[in-house]
């Protein structure tokens, strides 16, 4: 029987699992072409033999590895670009390299990316982007990260509640409350929400903030049309088209991120709906282009670059007995896309 140690080879894992060397390699790197049953068997054997754990120890023996794996939902979304910028700043200060992966808000793809990074023997894994309301969806990722940390790796996340690791938590609920209160103060009551997919915790948290502000005025979220679509610019377009078609009396749209808000504004422009004279629009995040749009976007500012810096700084600290939490704060940025509710 092969024994754990520096002489253990991938071929030993393949032989024990009864698969080819290529199949074992694909299974441990999270690549396609291997059934989940076979991949699980290979990973189980690697754990039993110590093949995965020992490389962590060797890589990290002198301290943190020089490689950081960053998993984001959407590489072309300015939110994640700014978060990545903060990570890269700290990495440069520490002499670390950053490898960025894209999950497309698909938990299965995210899991494969995590396994790929682990197989690449990165020293630190960061995940940026919303978690999922059903904890079962993240159970496999949580287990992989726990084992990675047990072997000496470090982990921190942004905007995730249920992974059991150090986390930077955006001020989503308070921000949603601030946006809604702003529109209510302007006299808007016929408000619609362009929301991301309902399975995302970020969407649920921001909607909870909307609900809290409504409750203070004797209203409820059920009084508002909430249109779920992709948490992207195209998703904003889809949501806006539906709002205009099904709720034509709407005077304000809350987009639960700036990417959706940009899509909303594009659709309103295409339909020649004046903003803010006929329709007010708010976003969330304050990405770098928000102030340069025409009209400039009223939104909640999150310190996205600082969030990336905070996450990697957390991961570089010695691991604590309990996961640490860091809040981000927020600020309301009132710009040209909001105005008083129209009289008609």
């Amino acid at each position: 029987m092969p024994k754990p140690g520096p002489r253990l080879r991938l071929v030993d894992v393949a032989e024990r699992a009864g698969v080819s060397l290529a199949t074992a390699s694909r299974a441990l790197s999270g690549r396609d072409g291997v059934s989940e049953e076979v991949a699980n068997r290979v990973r189980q054997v690697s754990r039993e033999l110590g093949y995965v754990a020992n490389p962590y120890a060797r890589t990290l023996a002198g301290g943190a590895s020089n490689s950081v794996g960053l998993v984001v939902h959407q590489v072309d979304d300015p939110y994640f670009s700014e978060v990545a910028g903060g990570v890269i700043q700290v990495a440069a200060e520490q002499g670390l390299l950053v490898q960025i992966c894209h999950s497309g808000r698909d938990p299965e793809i995210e899991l494969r990316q995590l396994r790929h990074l682990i197989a690449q023997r990165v020293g630190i894994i960061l995940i940026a982007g919303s978690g999922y309301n059903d904890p079962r969806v993240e159970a496999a990722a949580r287990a992989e990260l726990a084992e990675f940390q047990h072997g000496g790796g470090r982990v921190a996340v942004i905007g995730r509640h249920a992974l059991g690791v150090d986390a930077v938590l955006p001020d989503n609920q308070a921000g949603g409350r601030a946006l809604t209160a702003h529109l209510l103060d302007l006299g808007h009551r016929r408000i619609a929400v362009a929301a991301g997919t309902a399975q995302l915790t970020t969407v649920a948290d921001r909607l909870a903030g909307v609900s809290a502000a409504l409750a203070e005025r004797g209203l409820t979220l059920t009084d508002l049309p909430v249109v779920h679509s992709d948490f992207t610019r195209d998703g904003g377009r889809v949501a806006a088209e539906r709002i205009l078609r099904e709720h034509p009396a709407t005077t304000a749209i809350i987009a639960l991120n700036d990417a959706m808000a940009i899509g909303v504004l594009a659709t309103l422009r295409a339909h020649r709906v004046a903003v803010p004279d006929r329709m007010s629009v708010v976003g969330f995040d304050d990405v770098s282009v928000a102030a340069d749009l025409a009209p400039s976007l009223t939104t909640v500012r999150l310190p996205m670059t600082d969030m990336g810096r905070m996450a990697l700084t957390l991961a570089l600290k010695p691991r604590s007995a309990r996961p640490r939490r860091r809040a981000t704060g927020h600020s309301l940025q009132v710009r040209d896309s909001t105005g008083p509710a129209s009289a008609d």
Side-chain angles (χ1 to χ4, degrees), residues 64-68 88-98 312 316:
S65 162
N66 70 342
S67 184
V68 178
I88 290 168
Q89 287 176 12
V90 175
E93 293 165 4
Q94 300 295 324
L96 304 173
L97 301 175
V98 181
L312 183 49
L316 289 168

Side-chain angles (χ1 to χ4, degrees), residues 180 183-184 188-193 214 224-225 250-254:
T180 308
L183 291 175
L184 293 169
H188 293 279
R189 295 298 181 271
R190 298 192 299 271
I191 302 170
V193 183
L214 292 170
L224 274 57
T250 298
T251 64
I253 297 175
I254 299 172

Side-chain angles (χ1 to χ4, degrees), residues 42-62:
V42 173
R43 287 193 289 269
Q44 179 62 32
V45 168
S46 73
R47 286 192 288 267
E48 291 172 355
L49 298 180
Y51 177 78
V52 175
N54 282 340
Y56 297 157
R58 290 198 298 273
T59 301
L60 297 167

Side-chain angles (χ1 to χ4, degrees), residues 62-192:
S65 162
N66 70 342
S67 184
V68 178
L70 170 63
V71 182
V72 300
H73 280 331
Q74 195 90 21
V75 293
D76 59 352
D77 185 325
Y79 174 94
F80 295 108
S81 299
E82 294 185 39
V83 167
V87 171
I88 290 168
Q89 287 176 12
V90 175
E93 293 165 4
Q94 300 295 324
L96 304 173
L97 301 175
V98 181
Q99 178 179 343
I100 301 177
C101 303
H102 168 101
S103 72
R105 297 185 178 85
D106 184 324
E108 289 300 321
I109 294 176
E110 180 179 274
L111 182 60
R112 288 202 297 271
Q113 297 285 11
L114 291 177
R115 288 169 174 166
H116 172 75
L117 291 171
I118 290 170
Q120 294 295 313
R121 303 181 188 178
V122 300
I124 295 171
I125 291 176
L126 306 177
I127 305 175
S130 175
Y132 304 91
N133 288 317
D134 185 350
R136 293 172 297 182
V137 173
E138 296 187 303
R142 182 183 177 112
E144 291 283 351
L145 293 174
E147 185 173 345
F148 175 69
Q149 289 195 127
H150 181 72
R154 288 292 298 117
V155 179
V157 296
I158 299 171
R160 305 297 281 264
H161 303 300
L163 291 177
V165 297
D166 290 346
V168 176
L169 298 177
D171 214 352
N172 287 323
Q173 185 167 338
R177 186 173 182 171
L179 283 173
T180 308
H182 170 64
L183 291 175
L184 293 169
D185 288 343
L186 289 171
H188 293 279
R189 295 298 181 271
R190 298 192 299 271
I191 302 170

Side-chain angles (χ1 to χ4, degrees), residues 162-284:
L163 291 177
V165 297
D166 290 346
V168 176
L169 298 177
D171 214 352
N172 287 323
Q173 185 167 338
R177 186 173 182 171
L179 283 173
T180 308
H182 170 64
L183 291 175
L184 293 169
D185 288 343
L186 289 171
H188 293 279
R189 295 298 181 271
R190 298 192 299 271
I191 302 170
V193 183
T197 51
Q199 67 172 333
L200 298 175
T201 55
T202 294
V203 171
D205 291 345
R206 293 180 180 182
L207 281 175
V210 173
S211 181
L214 292 170
E216 292 173 355
R217 311 296 177 95
L219 303 171
T220 69
L221 194 58
T222 57
D223 297 323
L224 274 57
V226 178
V227 179
H228 291 281
S229 185
D230 290 339
F231 217 23
T232 63
R233 181 165 45 192
D234 286 344
R237 289 193 180 102
V238 169
E241 290 283 359
R242 183 173 162 191
I243 290 166
L244 290 175
R245 184 174 62 252
E246 299 179 7
H247 308 281
T250 298
T251 64
I253 297 175
I254 299 172
L256 292 186
N257 71 5
D258 284 351
M260 293 194 83
I262 292 169
V264 167
L265 288 171
T267 297
L268 295 178
R269 185 165 55 249
H271 285 271
R272 298 183 180 178
V273 176
V275 177
D277 295 341
R278 167 65 183 84
M279 185 86 73
S280 287
V281 178
V282 297
F284 201 121

